[in-house]
């Protein structure tokens, strides 16, 4: 079983602060996705990265895929209470089935007003 | 479009009881899957299907059965519930199972087994 480690597990910050969430594996990803999940709902896709070194921006969110395609990060600038939620990374491994996503354990983010 | 729908929203079972979690999608997606979500463990794949009549096992298939008779529906059956199956269950669909494809998740079923 491939493992995807996310850190930190919990993060509580004040509105306006910046933060970074990390997703790491010892194996190479074919692609990696970031999802956000709110209480009582299913995860919703934020972004998919597929190329080593790739950087994608979604408003105040910046996603980076590591050069070796073993890690990824999510950076939020000037966090707002609406960013509160569970952030999950999910990867397709280069040696595995393209039909099976492996999810990380998630980072629970709370942004205080 | 309703997207992915799941019923029931909540369910309490006694050990040994059986039940079926329903999942339906109206996006004509070929690929559907079931996950369970436990605290601190993210989502783990139970079973998946790449089209009507085709299913396969994921990471944690024991104790669960699936079938796919239509493109729209993908029910998950618990034959004899155990406390270890207490979890939140999510159904998801995507247009194909490829690396790039967005998975659309249902709202989840929260199951408690006593």
């Amino acid at each position: 079983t491939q493992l995807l480690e996310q850190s930190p597990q919990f993060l509580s910050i004040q509105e306006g602060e910046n933060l970074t969430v990390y997703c790491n594996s010892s194996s190479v990803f074919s692609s990696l996705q970031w999802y956000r999940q709110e209480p009582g709902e299913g995860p919703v896709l934020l972004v998919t990265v597929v190329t080593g070194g790739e950087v994608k921006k979604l408003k105040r969110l910046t996603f980076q895929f590591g050069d070796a395609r073993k890690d990824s990060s999510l950076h939020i600038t000037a966090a707002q209470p609406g960013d509160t939620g569970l952030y999950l990374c999910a990867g397709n491994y280069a040696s595995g089935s393209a039909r099976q996503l492996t999810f990380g354990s998630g980072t629970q983010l709370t942004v205080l007003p | 479009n309703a997207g992915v729908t799941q019923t029931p929203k909540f369910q309490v079972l006694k050990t040994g009881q059986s039940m079926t979690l329903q999942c339906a999608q109206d996006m004509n997606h070929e690929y559907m899957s079931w996950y369970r979500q436990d605290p601190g463990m993210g989502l783990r794949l139970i079973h998946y299907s790449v089209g009507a009549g085709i299913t396969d096992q994921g990471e944690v298939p024991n104790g669960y059965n699936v079938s796919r008779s239509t493109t729209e529906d993908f029910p998950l059956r618990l034959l004899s519930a155990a406390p270890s199956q207490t979890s939140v269950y999510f159904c998801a669909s995507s247009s194909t199972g490829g690396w790039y494809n967005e998975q659309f998740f249902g709202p989840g079923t929260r199951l408690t087994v006593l």
Side-chain angles (χ1 to χ4, degrees), chain A residues 2-24:
Chain A
Q2 307 286 7
L3 292 177
L4 254 176
E5 296 183 353
Q6 278 189 248
S7 62
Q9 189 176 0
F10 298 97
L11 189 57
S12 181
I13 61 172
Q14 294 293 135
E15 182 176 1
E17 293 183 348
N18 302 332
L19 67 111
T20 303
V21 175
Y22 300 93
C23 179
N24 294 285

PDB file of all heavy atoms in Angstrom, chain A residues 2-24:
ATOM      1  N   GLN A   2       0.614   2.132  -0.972  1.00  0.00           N
ATOM      2  CA  GLN A   2       1.366   3.368  -1.033  1.00  0.00           C
ATOM      3  C   GLN A   2       0.886   4.304   0.065  1.00  0.00           C
ATOM      4  O   GLN A   2      -0.280   4.346   0.392  1.00  0.00           O
ATOM      5  CB  GLN A   2       1.150   4.018  -2.415  1.00  0.00           C
ATOM      6  CG  GLN A   2       1.430   3.116  -3.588  1.00  0.00           C
ATOM      7  CD  GLN A   2       2.911   2.903  -3.804  1.00  0.00           C
ATOM      8  OE1 GLN A   2       3.724   3.324  -3.007  1.00  0.00           O
ATOM      9  NE2 GLN A   2       3.271   2.231  -4.886  1.00  0.00           N
ATOM     10  N   LEU A   3       1.815   5.084   0.626  1.00  0.00           N
ATOM     11  CA  LEU A   3       1.467   6.006   1.683  1.00  0.00           C
ATOM     12  C   LEU A   3       1.676   7.433   1.232  1.00  0.00           C
ATOM     13  O   LEU A   3       2.681   7.759   0.592  1.00  0.00           O
ATOM     14  CB  LEU A   3       2.317   5.732   2.926  1.00  0.00           C
ATOM     15  CG  LEU A   3       2.058   4.413   3.657  1.00  0.00           C
ATOM     16  CD1 LEU A   3       3.011   4.248   4.818  1.00  0.00           C
ATOM     17  CD2 LEU A   3       0.612   4.341   4.130  1.00  0.00           C
ATOM     18  N   LEU A   4       0.722   8.279   1.576  1.00  0.00           N
ATOM     19  CA  LEU A   4       0.798   9.705   1.319  1.00  0.00           C
ATOM     20  C   LEU A   4       0.720  10.398   2.662  1.00  0.00           C
ATOM     21  O   LEU A   4      -0.280  10.266   3.370  1.00  0.00           O
ATOM     22  CB  LEU A   4      -0.387  10.146   0.462  1.00  0.00           C
ATOM     23  CG  LEU A   4      -0.129  10.472  -0.989  1.00  0.00           C
ATOM     24  CD1 LEU A   4      -1.434  10.796  -1.686  1.00  0.00           C
ATOM     25  CD2 LEU A   4       0.819  11.638  -1.093  1.00  0.00           C
ATOM     26  N   GLU A   5       1.761  11.124   3.020  1.00  0.00           N
ATOM     27  CA  GLU A   5       1.778  11.789   4.311  1.00  0.00           C
ATOM     28  C   GLU A   5       1.504  13.277   4.144  1.00  0.00           C
ATOM     29  O   GLU A   5       2.138  13.942   3.316  1.00  0.00           O
ATOM     30  CB  GLU A   5       3.127  11.579   4.987  1.00  0.00           C
ATOM     31  CG  GLU A   5       3.420  10.117   5.322  1.00  0.00           C
ATOM     32  CD  GLU A   5       4.727   9.934   6.066  1.00  0.00           C
ATOM     33  OE1 GLU A   5       5.469  10.921   6.200  1.00  0.00           O
ATOM     34  OE2 GLU A   5       5.009   8.800   6.494  1.00  0.00           O
ATOM     35  N   GLN A   6       0.553  13.767   4.934  1.00  0.00           N
ATOM     36  CA  GLN A   6       0.257  15.184   4.909  1.00  0.00           C
ATOM     37  C   GLN A   6       0.656  15.812   6.232  1.00  0.00           C
ATOM     38  O   GLN A   6       0.504  15.215   7.289  1.00  0.00           O
ATOM     39  CB  GLN A   6      -1.252  15.406   4.687  1.00  0.00           C
ATOM     40  CG  GLN A   6      -1.675  15.324   3.251  1.00  0.00           C
ATOM     41  CD  GLN A   6      -3.108  15.767   3.043  1.00  0.00           C
ATOM     42  OE1 GLN A   6      -3.956  14.966   2.710  1.00  0.00           O
ATOM     43  NE2 GLN A   6      -3.369  17.059   3.254  1.00  0.00           N
ATOM     44  N   SER A   7       1.126  17.042   6.146  1.00  0.00           N
ATOM     45  CA  SER A   7       1.470  17.783   7.361  1.00  0.00           C
ATOM     46  C   SER A   7       1.190  19.270   7.156  1.00  0.00           C
ATOM     47  O   SER A   7       1.295  19.769   6.032  1.00  0.00           O
ATOM     48  CB  SER A   7       2.945  17.551   7.706  1.00  0.00           C
ATOM     49  OG  SER A   7       3.775  18.045   6.675  1.00  0.00           O
ATOM     50  N   PRO A   8       0.814  19.958   8.216  1.00  0.00           N
ATOM     51  CA  PRO A   8       0.465  19.390   9.518  1.00  0.00           C
ATOM     52  C   PRO A   8      -0.910  18.727   9.482  1.00  0.00           C
ATOM     53  O   PRO A   8      -1.656  18.903   8.533  1.00  0.00           O
ATOM     54  CB  PRO A   8       0.459  20.623  10.417  1.00  0.00           C
ATOM     55  CG  PRO A   8       0.001  21.720   9.507  1.00  0.00           C
ATOM     56  CD  PRO A   8       0.630  21.418   8.173  1.00  0.00           C
ATOM     57  N   GLN A   9      -1.235  17.981  10.509  1.00  0.00           N
ATOM     58  CA  GLN A   9      -2.538  17.353  10.580  1.00  0.00           C
ATOM     59  C   GLN A   9      -3.615  18.377  10.936  1.00  0.00           C
ATOM     60  O   GLN A   9      -4.737  18.307  10.448  1.00  0.00           O
ATOM     61  CB  GLN A   9      -2.529  16.228  11.613  1.00  0.00           C
ATOM     62  CG  GLN A   9      -3.795  15.382  11.600  1.00  0.00           C
ATOM     63  CD  GLN A   9      -3.712  14.210  12.561  1.00  0.00           C
ATOM     64  OE1 GLN A   9      -2.710  14.011  13.251  1.00  0.00           O
ATOM     65  NE2 GLN A   9      -4.767  13.421  12.622  1.00  0.00           N
ATOM     66  N   PHE A  10      -3.272  19.303  11.818  1.00  0.00           N
ATOM     67  CA  PHE A  10      -4.186  20.378  12.227  1.00  0.00           C
ATOM     68  C   PHE A  10      -3.459  21.710  12.124  1.00  0.00           C
ATOM     69  O   PHE A  10      -2.267  21.798  12.417  1.00  0.00           O
ATOM     70  CB  PHE A  10      -4.668  20.171  13.668  1.00  0.00           C
ATOM     71  CG  PHE A  10      -5.438  18.907  13.890  1.00  0.00           C
ATOM     72  CD1 PHE A  10      -4.802  17.781  14.381  1.00  0.00           C
ATOM     73  CD2 PHE A  10      -6.789  18.848  13.604  1.00  0.00           C
ATOM     74  CE1 PHE A  10      -5.506  16.599  14.582  1.00  0.00           C
ATOM     75  CE2 PHE A  10      -7.506  17.682  13.806  1.00  0.00           C
ATOM     76  CZ  PHE A  10      -6.864  16.557  14.294  1.00  0.00           C
ATOM     77  N   LEU A  11      -4.207  22.753  11.746  1.00  0.00           N
ATOM     78  CA  LEU A  11      -3.627  24.079  11.626  1.00  0.00           C
ATOM     79  C   LEU A  11      -4.715  25.095  11.954  1.00  0.00           C
ATOM     80  O   LEU A  11      -5.781  25.087  11.328  1.00  0.00           O
ATOM     81  CB  LEU A  11      -3.094  24.294  10.212  1.00  0.00           C
ATOM     82  CG  LEU A  11      -2.271  25.549   9.943  1.00  0.00           C
ATOM     83  CD1 LEU A  11      -1.078  25.620  10.867  1.00  0.00           C
ATOM     84  CD2 LEU A  11      -1.795  25.543   8.490  1.00  0.00           C
ATOM     85  N   SER A  12      -4.426  25.952  12.946  1.00  0.00           N
ATOM     86  CA  SER A  12      -5.368  26.998  13.327  1.00  0.00           C
ATOM     87  C   SER A  12      -4.640  28.330  13.243  1.00  0.00           C
ATOM     88  O   SER A  12      -3.612  28.509  13.899  1.00  0.00           O
ATOM     89  CB  SER A  12      -5.880  26.760  14.750  1.00  0.00           C
ATOM     90  OG  SER A  12      -6.816  27.765  15.106  1.00  0.00           O
ATOM     91  N   ILE A  13      -5.141  29.241  12.423  1.00  0.00           N
ATOM     92  CA  ILE A  13      -4.464  30.504  12.207  1.00  0.00           C
ATOM     93  C   ILE A  13      -5.474  31.651  12.235  1.00  0.00           C
ATOM     94  O   ILE A  13      -6.694  31.435  12.166  1.00  0.00           O
ATOM     95  CB  ILE A  13      -3.714  30.528  10.858  1.00  0.00           C
ATOM     96  CG1 ILE A  13      -4.696  30.345   9.690  1.00  0.00           C
ATOM     97  CG2 ILE A  13      -2.634  29.464  10.816  1.00  0.00           C
ATOM     98  CD1 ILE A  13      -4.069  30.546   8.334  1.00  0.00           C
ATOM     99  N   GLN A  14      -4.954  32.866  12.298  1.00  0.00           N
ATOM    100  CA  GLN A  14      -5.789  34.058  12.264  1.00  0.00           C
ATOM    101  C   GLN A  14      -6.016  34.499  10.822  1.00  0.00           C
ATOM    102  O   GLN A  14      -5.163  34.290   9.943  1.00  0.00           O
ATOM    103  CB  GLN A  14      -5.137  35.186  13.055  1.00  0.00           C
ATOM    104  CG  GLN A  14      -5.021  34.955  14.555  1.00  0.00           C
ATOM    105  CD  GLN A  14      -6.376  34.924  15.246  1.00  0.00           C
ATOM    106  OE1 GLN A  14      -6.658  34.065  16.071  1.00  0.00           O
ATOM    107  NE2 GLN A  14      -7.219  35.874  14.892  1.00  0.00           N
ATOM    108  N   GLU A  15      -7.144  35.101  10.599  1.00  0.00           N
ATOM    109  CA  GLU A  15      -7.451  35.679   9.287  1.00  0.00           C
ATOM    110  C   GLU A  15      -6.325  36.613   8.854  1.00  0.00           C
ATOM    111  O   GLU A  15      -5.803  37.406   9.655  1.00  0.00           O
ATOM    112  CB  GLU A  15      -8.771  36.449   9.372  1.00  0.00           C
ATOM    113  CG  GLU A  15      -9.228  37.048   8.066  1.00  0.00           C
ATOM    114  CD  GLU A  15     -10.585  37.721   8.170  1.00  0.00           C
ATOM    115  OE1 GLU A  15     -11.157  37.735   9.293  1.00  0.00           O
ATOM    116  OE2 GLU A  15     -11.090  38.227   7.165  1.00  0.00           O
ATOM    117  N   GLY A  16      -5.922  36.485   7.587  1.00  0.00           N
ATOM    118  CA  GLY A  16      -4.868  37.346   7.049  1.00  0.00           C
ATOM    119  C   GLY A  16      -3.493  36.704   7.039  1.00  0.00           C
ATOM    120  O   GLY A  16      -2.588  37.189   6.350  1.00  0.00           O
ATOM    121  N   GLU A  17      -3.309  35.625   7.794  1.00  0.00           N
ATOM    122  CA  GLU A  17      -2.012  34.947   7.826  1.00  0.00           C
ATOM    123  C   GLU A  17      -1.842  34.067   6.597  1.00  0.00           C
ATOM    124  O   GLU A  17      -2.804  33.703   5.924  1.00  0.00           O
ATOM    125  CB  GLU A  17      -1.881  34.116   9.100  1.00  0.00           C
ATOM    126  CG  GLU A  17      -1.807  34.941  10.371  1.00  0.00           C
ATOM    127  CD  GLU A  17      -1.595  34.091  11.610  1.00  0.00           C
ATOM    128  OE1 GLU A  17      -1.730  32.854  11.516  1.00  0.00           O
ATOM    129  OE2 GLU A  17      -1.297  34.641  12.669  1.00  0.00           O
ATOM    130  N   ASN A  18      -0.590  33.712   6.329  1.00  0.00           N
ATOM    131  CA  ASN A  18      -0.261  32.784   5.242  1.00  0.00           C
ATOM    132  C   ASN A  18       0.008  31.398   5.822  1.00  0.00           C
ATOM    133  O   ASN A  18       0.404  31.279   6.990  1.00  0.00           O
ATOM    134  CB  ASN A  18       0.975  33.249   4.466  1.00  0.00           C
ATOM    135  CG  ASN A  18       0.805  34.635   3.881  1.00  0.00           C
ATOM    136  OD1 ASN A  18      -0.309  35.061   3.576  1.00  0.00           O
ATOM    137  ND2 ASN A  18       1.910  35.345   3.730  1.00  0.00           N
ATOM    138  N   LEU A  19      -0.168  30.373   5.024  1.00  0.00           N
ATOM    139  CA  LEU A  19       0.105  29.019   5.496  1.00  0.00           C
ATOM    140  C   LEU A  19       0.493  28.120   4.328  1.00  0.00           C
ATOM    141  O   LEU A  19       0.168  28.408   3.174  1.00  0.00           O
ATOM    142  CB  LEU A  19      -1.144  28.431   6.191  1.00  0.00           C
ATOM    143  CG  LEU A  19      -2.326  28.186   5.252  1.00  0.00           C
ATOM    144  CD1 LEU A  19      -2.582  26.699   5.074  1.00  0.00           C
ATOM    145  CD2 LEU A  19      -3.552  28.914   5.741  1.00  0.00           C
ATOM    146  N   THR A  20       1.193  27.032   4.677  1.00  0.00           N
ATOM    147  CA  THR A  20       1.562  26.027   3.674  1.00  0.00           C
ATOM    148  C   THR A  20       1.259  24.639   4.222  1.00  0.00           C
ATOM    149  O   THR A  20       1.569  24.344   5.382  1.00  0.00           O
ATOM    150  CB  THR A  20       3.048  26.123   3.302  1.00  0.00           C
ATOM    151  OG1 THR A  20       3.322  27.444   2.824  1.00  0.00           O
ATOM    152  CG2 THR A  20       3.396  25.111   2.219  1.00  0.00           C
ATOM    153  N   VAL A  21       0.672  23.814   3.392  1.00  0.00           N
ATOM    154  CA  VAL A  21       0.367  22.426   3.714  1.00  0.00           C
ATOM    155  C   VAL A  21       1.185  21.539   2.784  1.00  0.00           C
ATOM    156  O   VAL A  21       1.334  21.853   1.598  1.00  0.00           O
ATOM    157  CB  VAL A  21      -1.142  22.156   3.528  1.00  0.00           C
ATOM    158  CG1 VAL A  21      -1.463  20.696   3.727  1.00  0.00           C
ATOM    159  CG2 VAL A  21      -1.964  23.022   4.478  1.00  0.00           C
ATOM    160  N   TYR A  22       1.684  20.426   3.323  1.00  0.00           N
ATOM    161  CA  TYR A  22       2.599  19.578   2.563  1.00  0.00           C
ATOM    162  C   TYR A  22       2.031  18.175   2.371  1.00  0.00           C
ATOM    163  O   TYR A  22       1.313  17.654   3.221  1.00  0.00           O
ATOM    164  CB  TYR A  22       3.952  19.484   3.281  1.00  0.00           C
ATOM    165  CG  TYR A  22       4.622  20.819   3.448  1.00  0.00           C
ATOM    166  CD1 TYR A  22       4.437  21.561   4.609  1.00  0.00           C
ATOM    167  CD2 TYR A  22       5.414  21.347   2.437  1.00  0.00           C
ATOM    168  CE1 TYR A  22       5.034  22.802   4.768  1.00  0.00           C
ATOM    169  CE2 TYR A  22       6.024  22.589   2.588  1.00  0.00           C
ATOM    170  CZ  TYR A  22       5.829  23.308   3.756  1.00  0.00           C
ATOM    171  OH  TYR A  22       6.419  24.535   3.899  1.00  0.00           O
ATOM    172  N   CYS A  23       2.423  17.576   1.254  1.00  0.00           N
ATOM    173  CA  CYS A  23       1.989  16.228   0.899  1.00  0.00           C
ATOM    174  C   CYS A  23       3.224  15.499   0.371  1.00  0.00           C
ATOM    175  O   CYS A  23       3.831  15.956  -0.605  1.00  0.00           O
ATOM    176  CB  CYS A  23       0.898  16.311  -0.157  1.00  0.00           C
ATOM    177  SG  CYS A  23       0.260  14.739  -0.738  1.00  0.00           S
ATOM    178  N   ASN A  24       3.615  14.388   1.019  1.00  0.00           N
ATOM    179  CA  ASN A  24       4.863  13.716   0.673  1.00  0.00           C
ATOM    180  C   ASN A  24       4.700  12.212   0.535  1.00  0.00           C
ATOM    181  O   ASN A  24       3.893  11.594   1.232  1.00  0.00           O
ATOM    182  CB  ASN A  24       5.920  13.988   1.763  1.00  0.00           C
ATOM    183  CG  ASN A  24       6.314  15.428   1.836  1.00  0.00           C
ATOM    184  OD1 ASN A  24       7.035  15.943   1.003  1.00  0.00           O
ATOM    185  ND2 ASN A  24       5.794  16.114   2.847  1.00  0.00           N
TER     186      ASN A  24
END
